[in-house]
């Protein structure tokens, strides 16, 4: 928490003109905003992981390092879509290889594509004040409680770490946002969702549908919007203002839209927790 807060403060106060997100006609903000919040988020996570007894596989570390390198570069200068997407696919593939148990061969291509999509949907939903941070806080808090309920303390503490760093980020990202996650933070959190989901599933902490239900407010909106743009022949990978949340925020205002979205997030998370408690009883 201290590392995340300190790094975010430095990026906002001392490095405010570094890696700026310049508003355009597709943006939800009207003034330039630093997109280095994810760097501070990841620094906080790194500090905690280094200080902890957690023994991460070199392949897992390599997956996050690869994604961070490409995404940080994209925060500073535009990286071609095919290069970024290739890095996303490779990062997920490294995670799958690092899993403690082997999968059926046909699951690998499905999980690689699904994992790359999870990384990208977090990237798509960044840039909207308070949204990505709130989903990270609520999502990992809920998933951590499920892990604790089912006796996986290690994953529960890892989820708690991600939730704590998300709460620090939200202090600065709440409307009107002073900082955004940027590609490094949004893709890193997306990969963390994939990693915790797959490891939790293999370790028996929960079924795969559990994280899908908890993070449904994100992937449902993003998936529907993506399919709509693809079927309409649009350049689906480019920035736009067609997400349901964006259109609703334009109509009623960012703060009101965020309150409604928070209610939806809590509803899905509460449903998942209720099922987990029922199964335990």
């Amino acid at each position: 928490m201290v590392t995340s807060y300190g790094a975010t403060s430095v990026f906002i106060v001392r490095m405010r003109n570094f890696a700026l997100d310049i508003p355009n006609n597709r943006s939800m903000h009207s003034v330039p905003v630093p997109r280095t919040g994810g760097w501070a988020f990841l620094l906080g996570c790194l500090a905690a992981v280094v200080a902890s007894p957690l023994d991460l596989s070199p392949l897992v570390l390599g997956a996050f390092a690869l994604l961070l390198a490409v995404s940080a570069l994209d925060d500073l200068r535009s990286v071609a879509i095919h290069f970024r997407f290739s890095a996303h696919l490779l990062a997920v593939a490294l995670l799958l290889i690092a899993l403690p148990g082997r999968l059926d061969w046909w699951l690998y291509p499905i999980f690689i594509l699904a994992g790359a999509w999870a990384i990208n949907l977090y990237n798509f939903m960044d840039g909207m004040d308070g949204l990505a941070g709130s989903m990270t806080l609520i999502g990992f808090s809920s998933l951590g409680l499920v892990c604790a309920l089912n006796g996986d303390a290690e994953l529960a503490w890892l989820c708690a770490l991600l939730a704590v760093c998300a709460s620090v980020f939200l202090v600065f990202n709440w409307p009107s946002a002073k900082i955004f996650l940027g590609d490094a933070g949004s893709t890193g959190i997306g990969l963390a969702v994939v990693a915790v989901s797959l490891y939790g599933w293999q370790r028996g902490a929960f079924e795969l549908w559990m994280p899908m239900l908890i993070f449904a407010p994100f992937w449902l909106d993003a998936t529907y919007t993506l399919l709509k743009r693809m079927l309409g022949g649009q350049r689906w990978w480019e920035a736009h203002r067609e997400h349901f949340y964006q259109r609703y925020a334009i109509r009623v205002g960012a703060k009101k839209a965020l309150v409604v979205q928070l209610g939806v997030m809590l509803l899905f998370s509460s449903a998942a927790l209720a099922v987990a408690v029922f199964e335990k009883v």
Side-chain angles (χ1 to χ4, degrees):
M1 181 181 287
V2 171
T3 303
S4 286
Y5 190 93
T8 308
S9 300
V10 169
F11 283 128
I12 291 177
V13 177
R14 302 291 183 183
M15 303 174 67
R16 181 161 185 81
N17 295 322
F18 182 68
L20 286 175
D21 190 332
I22 307 298
N24 54 46
N25 61 342
R26 295 168 177 165
S27 303
M28 295 295 293
H29 58 293
S30 56
V31 297
V33 176
R35 47 185 176 187
T36 47
W39 299 22
F41 179 98
L42 294 172
L43 281 172
C45 292
L46 178 63
V49 168
V50 168
S52 77
L54 189 65
D55 185 21
L56 291 177
S57 162
L59 289 173
V60 173
L61 294 174
F64 279 92
L66 169 66
L67 196 61
L68 176 60
V70 174
S71 301
L73 181 60
D74 196 48
D75 282 331
L76 299 174
R77 51 177 298 179
S78 182
V79 175
I81 178 65
H82 64 273
F83 188 74
R84 280 185 285 137
F85 194 63
S86 297
H88 299 168
L89 294 173
L90 181 54
V92 178
L94 290 173
L95 275 183
L96 292 174
I97 295 171
L99 286 175
R102 292 189 61 83
L103 306 173
D104 292 331
W105 67 268
W106 55 271
L107 283 175
Y108 285 97
I110 294 175
F111 281 163
I112 288 174
L113 290 174
W117 171 230
I119 292 171
N120 277 276
L121 73 85
Y122 243 98
N123 195 17
F124 292 158
M125 303 299 268
D126 185 31
M128 292 174 266
D129 298 4
L131 185 63
S134 296
M135 186 72 263
T136 304
L137 173 59
I138 294 172
F140 279 111
S141 295
S142 303
L143 210 52
L145 287 173
V146 173
C147 290
L149 186 65
N150 291 315
D152 196 325
E154 188 175 64
L155 271 183
W157 281 113
L158 190 57
C159 288
L161 163 62
L162 292 161
V164 165
C165 290
S167 67
V168 173
F169 170 70
L170 273 174
V171 171
F172 301 94
N173 184 245
W174 202 255
S176 296
K178 299 181 181 68
I179 199 167
F180 292 146
L181 281 171
D183 279 16
S186 59
T187 58
I189 294 173
L191 187 62
V193 172
V194 176
V196 173
S197 298
L198 291 174
Y199 271 81
W201 168 57
Q202 281 222 328
R203 290 157 64 119
F206 46 74
E207 297 295 332
L208 264 183
W209 61 261
M210 182 67 72
M212 291 181 64
L213 178 61
I214 290 173
F215 289 94
F218 248 37
W219 68 262
L220 283 175
D221 187 352
T223 302
Y224 170 78
T225 305
L226 173 71
L227 292 175
K228 180 181 175 183
R229 287 174 62 80
M230 290 178 69
L231 293 174
Q234 296 172 281
R235 295 166 68 88
W236 56 267
W237 60 89
E238 291 184 346
H240 58 84
R241 300 174 71 173
E242 297 181 20
H243 287 290
F244 172 79
Y245 176 80
Q246 289 173 307
R247 290 185 278 113
Y248 188 61
I250 292 171
R251 188 163 68 248
V252 303
K255 290 185 179 180
K256 288 184 179 179
L258 181 57
V259 170
V260 172
Q261 192 71 6
L262 286 172
V264 174
M265 292 176 187
L266 289 171
L267 179 64
F268 277 92
S269 293
S270 298
L273 287 171
V275 172
V277 170
F278 178 79
E279 289 180 341
K280 193 66 177 178
V281 174

